[in-house]
Amino acid sequence: MIDVRLIREDRAAVAAALGRRGVEPAEVDRVAELDETSRHLLRAQEALRVQVKELSRQVGEARRTGDQPAAASLSAESRALGEREREAAGQAELAQASLRHALLLLPNLPSDEAPDGAGAEDNVEIRRWWPAIDEGAEAPEFADHQRVPHWEIGEQLGILDMERGAKLSGSMFPLFRQMGARLLRALSAFALAHHVDAYEEIRPPSLVLTDTMTATGHLPKFSDEGYHIERDDLWAIPTAEVPLTSLYRGEIIDEASLPMRFCAVTPCFRREAGAAGRDTRGLLRIHEFDKVELMAYATEAQAASVHADITARAEGLLQELGLMYRVLDLCTGDLAAPSARTLDLEVFMPGEDRFWEVSSVSWYRDYQARRANVRYRPSSGGQPVLVHTLNGSALAWSRVWPALVETGRQPDGSVRLPDCLAPYLGGETVIRPV
RNA sequence: GGAGGGAUGGCAGAGCGGACGAAUGCGCGGCUCUUGAAAAGCCGUGGGACCUCGGUUCCCGUGGGUUCGAAUCCCACUCCCUCCGCCA
């Protein structure tokens, strides 16, 4: 969430910044009013509290000096005051809760660098890459044998069985077989191996508490998107970002250990409630997929270079895999609520003849850290400061798998995989029909 | 799942109804002494919120309750440890 003090000090500036992403000024006004009310009630309650404490002290003193009548009357007075204090405390608490609730629903302030825009159509493409572009190669022409959607290839080669996946779990739960399954495992190992130099490998739980989901901004607003296990009140994570961001929830980190960087491969679960009927073929939109995620805590000064590092690492993987992709600077209207700036990596899928997002590298400033209460102690001493959080998929396999299979398809129908995966596939990089 | 024990500041650990945001030790920071270091001594050292920036208030696992007053008493829950059962 954003700092309520910003609204207190310069409401117009906050309204203007949030206006860039389509938030009505009235919403900011509402928060300002709730803040006003809440502080007013808090002051009233504390004033009563002071009196109760003072009277209690006097009761104790009267008792000690043996002045029973005075003690009794002071005690009665304090009891009456305590009654009022309890009432005031209840009101103050209620006001604080509604303030927090309203604040949690407010999106982050967009970064100045984020381009203005209303929706996905206004995102700005900042670069495009394809194999050998450095040597002056033209954008690749894809042949007809590559213009086959991956679900058809998957069926031909016996490596993707969407029907049996649906039999087990319903539609949009994929089932991979043979080299299809091995390819997934290879991709995870490949990606993790590339980041362990600077990113600590974590294997977090896949089910988390409501607090953990709230810290990243996935709750309370987007509860429809999450799988919830009612019996135990646990949520299936939609991305490793959720557990990783909460790793140091409520803790104070030494500045010297920043930036702290983590990577993890986890399953990701998404209900896709708002997308029913869209992109339903193959792996484009599914309820469960594996993804390797990079995540970092950083100081404000470190944030830009960490953001660049995560982006470069995600791009590096795509380049090694030889896949054509483009980088989009998300406009204010398309930015996810907690993000101040996001670069999307989209890979080209010849079978679908379009680009699909495979990675989203985001800088959240202190928006998530304030929810999660993750701070660092400055080396120079002084008060703890909220960290900045950043993260990016180091590739979502449900979108990379199709791109690899479509791009690598040969005229004879087999699929040639990039050589860099050979060590993770036992040396076998060709998938042939069975 | 059953039985018992526990949860207090960066760590260890006292406190068990009133001057306790909390003894003491360690750690950490500053200073004194010293050629320097060590030792010794002195001082300081948690977090949040609010305001009239000097204060006020809240926080002793979490949430309720009792009381004029709760770290301290009561209830519920969570987590950790030990033992038993079950189990990948």
Side-chain angles (χ1 to χ4, degrees):
Chain A
M1 68 190 121
I2 64 174
D3 190 347
V4 70
R5 270 172 285 214
L6 287 177
I7 296 177
R8 213 177 284 162
E9 282 157 19
D10 196 348
R11 192 197 302 194
V14 172
L18 290 180
R20 291 179 62 209
R21 56 194 307 168
V23 175
E24 295 293 327
E27 278 190 63
V28 180
D29 291 340
R30 203 175 94 76
V31 172
E33 280 158 31
L34 287 170
D35 176 45
E36 191 70 40
T37 310
S38 149
R39 279 187 298 156
H40 175 77
L41 290 171
L42 181 66
R43 258 173 288 159
Q45 186 228 325
E46 287 195 356
L48 286 166
R49 184 79 187 145
V50 172
Q51 295 181 56
V52 171
K53 286 184 77 165
E54 174 57 20
L55 284 169
S56 296
R57 200 189 58 78
Q58 290 176 17
V59 171
E61 205 169 294
R63 284 266 167 82
R64 223 166 295 120
T65 58
D67 189 349
Q68 292 308 328
S73 98
L74 284 165
S75 172
E77 197 184 332
S78 178
R79 189 180 317 141
L81 222 49
E83 209 65 46
R84 284 175 53 199
E85 192 260 335
R86 227 166 301 212
E87 210 173 292
Q91 289 176 6
E93 218 168 283
L94 229 62
Q96 265 159 16
S98 41
L99 170 64
R100 180 176 163 80
H101 187 72
L103 221 41
L104 281 175
L105 292 177
L106 228 45
N108 200 1
L109 304 175
S111 146
D112 291 339
E113 286 105 70
D116 281 300
E121 64 284 359
D122 295 322
N123 293 337
V124 177
E125 181 174 327
I126 52 180
R127 59 179 166 270
R128 197 176 276 225
W129 185 94
W130 54 79
I133 187 173
D134 293 340
E135 286 96 72
E138 295 292 314
E141 293 289 328
F142 290 91
D144 281 348
H145 63 263
Q146 294 174 294
R147 301 271 181 190
V148 178
H150 62 275
W151 53 89
E152 286 179 19
I153 303 173
E155 200 175 328
Q156 285 165 13
L157 299 180
I159 57 176
L160 177 64
D161 190 343
M162 292 300 290
E163 288 193 16
R164 286 200 173 78
K167 176 160 81 179
L168 304 182
S169 307
S171 70
M172 295 165 78
F173 281 95
L175 185 146
F176 296 91
R177 311 183 70 149
Q178 301 189 51
M179 280 296 278
R182 292 187 66 186
L183 174 55
L184 277 185
R185 182 157 58 87
L187 286 168
S188 291
F190 165 72
L192 288 172
H194 275 66
H195 303 307
V196 288
D197 60 310
Y199 290 72
E200 181 189 349
E201 185 171 341
I202 305 283
R203 177 50 250 232
S206 307
L207 299 178
V208 297
L209 303 170
T210 296
D211 279 350
T212 308
M213 285 285 277
T214 304
T216 40
H218 291 89
L219 289 177
K221 205 172 182 177
F222 303 104
S223 60
D224 285 353
E225 271 305 307
Y227 283 100
H228 184 226
I229 296 168
E230 215 165 299
R231 188 186 176 103
D232 299 290
D233 195 15
L234 289 168
W235 298 80
I237 58 171
T239 156
E241 166 194 346
V242 169
L244 292 181
T245 301
S246 280
L247 260 189
Y248 282 78
R249 189 169 74 225
E251 297 191 41
I252 299 174
I253 301 164
D254 285 334
E255 180 173 3
S257 47
L258 293 174
M260 286 181 102
R261 295 181 278 199
F262 307 103
C263 64
V265 57
T266 65
C268 304
F269 299 91
R270 303 191 176 178
R271 290 188 68 236
E272 299 293 351
R278 210 168 73 211
D279 312 321
T280 49
R281 300 303 306 273
L283 299 172
L284 299 178
R285 194 172 294 281
I286 47 184
H287 289 314
E288 178 183 348
F289 58 93
D290 289 342
K291 179 160 69 63
V292 173
E293 186 80 4
L294 299 175
M295 188 269 155
Y297 297 119
T299 65
E300 180 167 13
Q302 294 165 342
S305 72
V306 172
H307 192 252
D309 181 57
I310 296 176
T311 309
R313 282 170 180 271
E315 283 190 68
L317 290 184
L318 287 176
Q319 291 176 10
E320 270 199 72
L321 293 171
L323 295 172
M324 179 160 95
Y325 68 90
R326 63 181 185 182
V327 181
L328 259 38
D329 196 346
L330 294 200
C331 75
T332 52
D334 202 31
L335 226 40
S339 179
R341 180 106 193 272
T342 295
L343 297 182
D344 267 8
L345 269 50
E346 294 192 339
V347 72
F348 186 75
M349 300 197 193
E352 277 75 64
D353 193 30
R354 61 161 286 188
F355 286 91
W356 281 94
E357 178 191 335
V358 291
S359 176
S360 197
V361 186
S362 296
W363 173 35
Y364 301 96
R365 299 195 63 92
D366 58 12
Y367 185 92
Q368 293 181 328
R370 184 169 291 106
R371 289 166 167 252
N373 196 24
V374 180
R375 293 167 295 169
Y376 70 91
R377 168 108 40 212
S379 308
S380 56
Q383 296 301 105
V385 179
L386 290 165
V387 300
H388 281 206
T389 58
L390 303 106
N391 73 262
S393 345
L395 306 189
W397 303 143
S398 60
R399 298 270 174 82
V400 173
W401 194 99
L404 281 172
V405 165
E406 291 172 11
T407 305
R409 189 160 188 270
Q410 306 298 305
D412 68 356
S414 66
V415 167
R416 177 171 290 281
L417 296 169
D419 290 338
C420 62
L421 292 177
Y424 306 98
L425 288 169
E428 182 57 65
T429 55
V430 178
I431 309 177
R432 297 173 211 284
V434 277

